[in-house]
Amino acid sequence: MRGFLFALALLPGLACAEGLYVLPVKLLDTSKEALDQSEAHARRQQAFAESLAADLNGTLVSPEEVAAACPRETPACLMDLLAAKSADRGLFIVVQKSSTLILQVFTDLMDVKAQKLIAHRELNFRGDNDEGWRRAARFLGRQLRELD
């Protein structure tokens, strides 16, 4: 029995195992701020996805790949894209910006083969700046690693 438990402990965790693919982070900006921050947001979205992929031993799916395969980005098409990559799990992330101070992250970890939700996480973070996004990505990574 002890040998079985030891072997089980060596197995990769749910969120951190090989076969995890991280889709590009989407941004829903409902802040109605006049300042165009599209370049800064694109950079932060990419850094957020890169941080999670590194933290969870995942593979990034590029925005260009998603645009070519799924121009409308429907969930069914995105799941098919992940299945074509032989993904075991897919990480879907949407950040909603309510204001400069308040942002929310909605995350779904999906089992691609079973097409079922493994975990859903929501978190709020403050500060639409590089540091705020960086901290949110690290915190979310810790939350997902705890699924193990």
Side-chain angles (χ1 to χ4, degrees):
M1 180 66 158
R2 226 186 288 171
F4 173 74
L5 292 176
F6 179 73
L8 190 60
L10 293 178
L11 289 175
L14 193 59
C16 301
E18 284 185 33
L20 172 68
Y21 281 76
V22 179
L23 290 157
V25 174
K26 304 310 289 177
L27 176 67
L28 175 60
D29 187 347
T30 58
S31 68
K32 297 187 170 71
E33 291 178 351
L35 181 64
D36 179 13
Q37 297 176 308
S38 53
E39 285 183 32
H41 284 147
R43 186 183 72 253
R44 291 176 187 138
Q45 288 167 256
Q46 182 65 26
F48 197 98
E50 287 172 357
S51 175
L52 285 172
D55 204 20
L56 302 172
N57 298 317
T59 302
L60 283 174
V61 179
S62 74
E64 296 79 18
E65 191 173 1
V66 170
C70 302
R72 293 184 49 225
E73 296 189 29
T74 64
C77 185
L78 293 170
M79 289 294 280
D80 288 345
L81 171 63
L82 293 174
K85 295 177 143 308
S86 299
D88 294 322
R89 288 160 318 286
L91 191 59
F92 293 74
I93 305 157
V94 176
V95 175
Q96 180 180 5
K97 177 180 175 180
S98 300
S99 71
T100 300
L101 291 177
I102 302 169
L103 296 96
Q104 244 185 318
V105 181
F106 302 92
T107 306
D108 287 334
L109 179 63
M110 300 293 296
D111 180 318
V112 174
K113 293 175 182 153
Q115 299 216 355
K116 290 189 177 178
L117 180 67
I118 296 170
H120 175 81
R121 293 290 182 270
E122 294 181 19
L123 64 97
N124 294 318
F125 70 97
R126 295 184 63 102
D128 185 19
N129 54 50
D130 292 348
E131 183 60 22
W133 282 70
R134 207 173 6 257
R135 286 181 182 192
R138 285 193 309 256
F139 181 82
L140 181 58
R142 283 192 307 271
Q143 292 286 308
L144 293 172
R145 281 194 315 272
E146 289 177 4
L147 294 173
D148 298 344

